[in-house]
Amino acid sequence: MRVLGVSAHFHTAAAALVDNGTVVGAAAEERFTRVKHDPGFPERSIRWLLEERGLRGADLDAVVFYEQPHVKFTRVLASTLSTFPKHHRSFGSAMKRWLGDRLWTTNKLSRLLDVHPDRVGVVVHHRSHAAQAFVGSGFDESAILTLDGVGEWDTTGLGRGRISDGTLDLEILETHRYPDSLGLFYAAFTTFLGFRANSEECSTMALATFGEPKYASVVRQILKVGTDGSYRFDNSWFDFVSLGQAPFTRKLIAALGPPRVPGTPLPFESFRVPGSDTIAPTEDHQRYADIAASAQLVLEEAVLGLANRAARLTGSKRLCLSGGVALNCVATARLLHETPFEDIWIPPDPGDGGAALGAVQHVLGENGLLGPACRSIGPYLGRSYDPGPTLDMLTHMGPGSWSAYRQPGLPPAAPYTLSVERLGDDDDGLVSRVVDDLLAGRIVGWFQGGFEFGPRALGNRSLLAHPARVETALKLSTRVKARAPFRPYAFSIAEADALRAFPQWADGIPYMARWMQVVVPVSEAVHDQVRATLHIDGTTRPQVVSPADNPLYHKLLVAFGQHTGLAALLNTSFNARGEPIVSSPDEALMVFARTDLDTLVLGDAVLRKVYS
Ligand SMILES: [Fe+2]
């Protein structure tokens, strides 16, 4: 059975294709359109997936959309009308969007793909999330929590999944409905703190580390978490219809003070260069951090309450999570120690993009077709590229012509010439050259295989650096990523060395550590070796890499560890500021040309800037 899954029109549009039990691929549309979190329609992702298999739309047995557009439309209609005439303008634009396009998504899929309308279906949004959370875990049975902004009406799902003989039995036991929403609650505070809702929630989480939860009593009035694990959101404090602009009321500002103006400096630093001058945060800056800490704490209380409720209602020892809130890796870390669950699984892409694959898994589960390949899914599902044409292009254009492409806002580049070396099948030679560069303090763009499906760079589209060299991390922040200094980096570590950094995991490394989904304290014994990747509180969000997960990346980590004593590397996503992670070799080359990235590895080719 060939099934194409599609998510579109809210957060991250994506498509996924399974053909006869094999996951052909999955990709977020942003990787092709280069629009971060592109919420549009994943036409290019769909085209790539069909081309990858040499298929036409008519060859598909089913196309499935990740939510019910008609039901969602009733919620949009009801929520905007309930505030009339306050939001008459946004009502007009919402109706234009919905009546012009979104309401007819299944018709559009049928037309675009030339698939009979009978073969185009929908899955309830939180059932797509539930299948996405559970099926890839490999568990035969598990409790399930789905936590997001909002689907049709539901914002939270608590349920249980079972799989036997390839058939999925998915029971949703309880739901919370709009406007009770943990995702919208956190997104609203993200907007209050001057970051973009549904995009920069990780900045709120990072800022929280610099604060104390001094406003927790106010926030607990906004999100009331019951002792039974239920929660209620009081929407007299926020106005979700204008989420993304200014969703806060006078009542909220009276209690918390004015919101932060977007783009204004936040002088907190996750790491410091010894001897450098630092600007002391003002009272207002500290207030923002304290508000972030308060929102984070109350979110954690709600997530813990729900997880413990799920444990009571299902009796399961396993928990699978999905929805955008599952990306809050400080909250998910607490699940490890403050719930009865022994195994916790989050898919590599727990958000709306991943729900495209979840919708496919749901359909296959209904038809008893969940084979082993659908039950064990890693993150490397995106398109692979041959770097050959990009390398050929280099012979026609030299670095002399690159200065015009310099990333705006970065200081001028030092003069350099370019060296290019191809290693063919000599992986050891490739790894040894990259290790030499990393030891020398160079920043390396590492581009291999298919790109990751999900928000994290996990060794196929990564920027790598020496994890102990703070000055290199500072260069990465200021001359490559142009990134806020309060946001920490993280490291990848080879499985064999993981217990030295995380001795608390002696009884077993959690699944969440495979895809950078959990924030944990790092053993002081290795602090000096990973100094540049530690957050201010001595934590990190690690990726524990096994040879099976990513053989070449694992080899690189081990080779680096032979020189430094710890097989760990600073790993951050391969992108320039405000852009999606790179997909193709051309895009990787452009970041290399526009920033102070020192070395670029494109498959077997090593490109180096040789400074004069
Ligand atoms: Fe969702």
Side-chain angles (χ1 to χ4, degrees):
M1 190 177 187
R2 289 181 183 130
V3 186
L4 176 75
V6 174
S7 60
H9 300 322
F10 183 54
H11 187 248
T12 301
L17 177 64
V18 175
D19 184 357
N20 199 20
T22 303
V23 183
V24 175
E29 188 70 357
E30 64 163 22
R31 303 298 170 90
F32 297 109
T33 61
R34 312 308 300 154
V35 176
K36 199 163 186 177
H37 301 307
D38 189 338
F41 187 83
E43 202 165 336
R44 295 177 66 175
S45 306
I46 293 171
R47 202 184 315 143
W48 162 62
L49 287 166
L50 294 177
E51 281 170 7
E52 193 73 13
R53 209 66 170 180
L55 299 173
R56 296 168 304 130
D59 298 323
L60 296 168
D61 297 300
V63 179
V64 60
F65 192 55
Y66 81 142
E67 65 184 12
Q68 303 164 287
H70 288 76
V71 181
K72 185 165 181 170
F73 178 63
T74 61
R75 192 256 302 160
V76 173
L77 195 61
S79 56
T80 44
L81 277 179
S82 68
T83 62
F84 188 82
K86 190 176 169 195
H87 293 298
H88 67 282
R89 282 212 181 87
S90 55
F91 176 77
S93 55
M95 289 311 105
K96 203 171 158 191
R97 276 197 307 275
W98 273 90
L99 295 173
D101 190 24
R102 296 182 178 188
L103 198 52
W104 322 110
T105 301
T106 52
N107 304 53
K108 181 174 177 174
L109 282 166
S110 164
R111 229 179 25 249
L112 181 81
L113 293 164
D114 192 22
V115 171
H116 191 280
D118 289 351
R119 281 191 272 150
V120 181
V122 295
V123 175
V124 175
H125 186 66
H126 274 256
R127 289 187 72 86
S128 295
H129 271 318
Q132 162 198 16
F134 171 56
V135 172
S137 69
F139 303 153
D140 291 335
E141 174 279 330
S142 173
I144 300 171
L145 270 184
T146 58
L147 312 167
D148 72 355
V150 59
E152 294 90 354
W153 280 95
D154 289 344
T155 62
T156 297
L158 187 163
R160 174 171 35 206
R162 289 193 192 88
I163 292 179
S164 124
D165 294 333
T167 300
L168 174 65
D169 173 12
L170 206 57
E171 231 183 321
I172 306 294
L173 303 169
E174 291 183 351
T175 60
H176 284 69
R177 281 164 70 90
Y178 179 90
D180 291 332
S181 165
L182 299 186
L184 293 180
F185 156 80
Y186 205 75
F189 272 99
T190 295
T191 309
F192 186 90
L193 294 167
F195 308 121
R196 281 197 302 277
N198 296 326
S199 171
E200 294 183 323
E201 277 71 9
C202 53
S203 293
T204 304
M205 193 173 70
L207 183 61
T209 314
F210 295 91
E212 295 294 328
K214 292 179 181 170
Y215 298 91
S217 58
V218 177
V219 180
R220 287 192 186 106
Q221 293 174 56
I222 300 169
L223 192 75
K224 294 172 182 153
V225 181
T227 50
D228 61 353
S230 64
Y231 72 89
R232 276 277 169 275
F233 181 80
D234 179 348
N235 64 353
S236 66
W237 299 81
F238 283 108
D239 173 5
F240 283 158
V241 175
S242 59
L243 185 68
Q245 296 146 34
F248 9 93
T249 61
R250 284 189 192 145
K251 183 177 169 185
L252 184 77
I253 293 170
L256 298 181
R260 174 175 166 257
V261 176
T264 51
L266 273 172
F268 297 102
E269 294 176 9
S270 64
F271 52 82
R272 294 214 175 104
V273 177
S276 69
D277 290 334
T278 53
I279 305 163
T282 65
E283 257 177 46
D284 255 355
H285 295 136
Q286 195 56 54
R287 179 170 61 85
Y288 303 140
D290 293 341
I291 292 169
S294 307
Q296 176 64 33
L297 176 67
V298 178
L299 178 83
E300 290 167 21
E301 290 168 353
V303 172
L304 277 173
L306 284 163
N308 281 311
R309 185 173 176 81
R312 282 196 303 277
L313 293 182
T314 64
S316 181
K317 292 287 177 204
R318 295 174 205 89
L319 174 67
C320 295
L321 290 134
S322 71
V325 178
L327 286 166
N328 192 302
C329 38
V330 176
T332 51
R334 290 187 63 180
L335 298 175
L336 287 173
H337 308 292
E338 299 177 57
T339 69
F341 293 110
E342 291 168 4
D343 293 308
I344 301 176
W345 168 267
I346 303 173
D349 187 354
D352 276 357
L357 182 57
V360 175
Q361 290 165 321
H362 194 279
V363 168
L364 294 173
E366 283 177 323
N367 289 279
L369 293 172
L370 287 173
C374 287
R375 309 256 12 241
S376 171
I377 298 174
Y380 309 108
L381 301 177
R383 182 176 171 182
S384 314
Y385 297 80
D386 170 12
T390 303
L391 296 169
D392 291 343
M393 183 180 73
L394 270 177
T395 59
H396 300 293
M397 70 178 275
S401 58
W402 289 1
S403 56
Y405 299 109
R406 185 76 176 166
Q407 176 91 3
L410 293 188
Y416 61 86
T417 55
L418 188 69
S419 80
V420 180
E421 193 181 5
R422 293 201 75 165
L423 280 302
D425 294 333
D426 182 9
D427 285 351
D428 291 339
L430 179 82
V431 160
S432 113
R433 279 157 181 79
V434 175
V435 167
D436 286 347
D437 280 11
L438 291 163
L439 290 169
R442 292 170 69 94
I443 300 169
V444 175
W446 178 256
F447 181 107
Q448 300 291 342
F451 59 77
E452 294 88 349
F453 185 46
R456 307 273 171 253
L458 297 164
N460 276 15
R461 298 291 186 278
S462 290
L463 296 180
L464 306 175
H466 196 308
R469 296 180 67 143
V470 171
E471 69 282 5
T472 306
L474 189 70
K475 176 179 164 185
L476 184 57
S477 286
T478 57
R479 302 186 70 103
V480 179
K481 302 268 287 185
R483 164 185 173 119
F486 67 89
R487 288 188 53 201
Y489 289 111
F491 63 82
S492 303
I493 186 164
E495 202 173 29
D497 276 4
L499 290 186
R500 289 180 47 214
F502 311 109
Q504 63 270 45
W505 289 342
D507 292 335
I509 295 168
Y511 292 114
M512 288 190 282
R514 285 171 81 188
W515 320 127
M516 288 190 164
Q517 294 167 327
V518 62
V519 167
V520 284
V522 178
S523 165
E524 283 191 24
V526 300
H527 270 199
D528 283 346
Q529 286 161 292
V530 291
R531 176 75 56 198
T533 69
L534 295 178
H535 205 5
I536 196 80
D537 58 355
T539 62
T540 195
R541 186 190 64 203
Q543 178 196 6
V544 177
V545 184
S546 71
D549 280 341
N550 193 328
L552 186 62
Y553 189 42
H554 180 265
K555 190 172 198 159
L556 177 68
L557 289 163
V558 170
F560 185 79
Q562 283 163 359
H563 292 267
T564 62
L566 190 75
L569 283 172
L570 184 156
N571 171 18
T572 186
S573 54
F574 194 158
N575 62 331
R577 182 173 193 169
E579 296 177 4
I581 297 174
V582 298
S583 308
S584 69
D586 284 1
E587 289 151 17
L589 185 65
M590 283 308 291
V591 175
F592 182 60
R594 286 157 49 197
T595 70
D596 282 359
L597 193 55
D598 300 301
T599 298
L600 173 62
V601 181
L602 288 176
D604 70 327
V606 182
L607 284 67
R608 281 203 191 88
K609 290 175 183 168
V610 181
Y611 299 103
S612 43

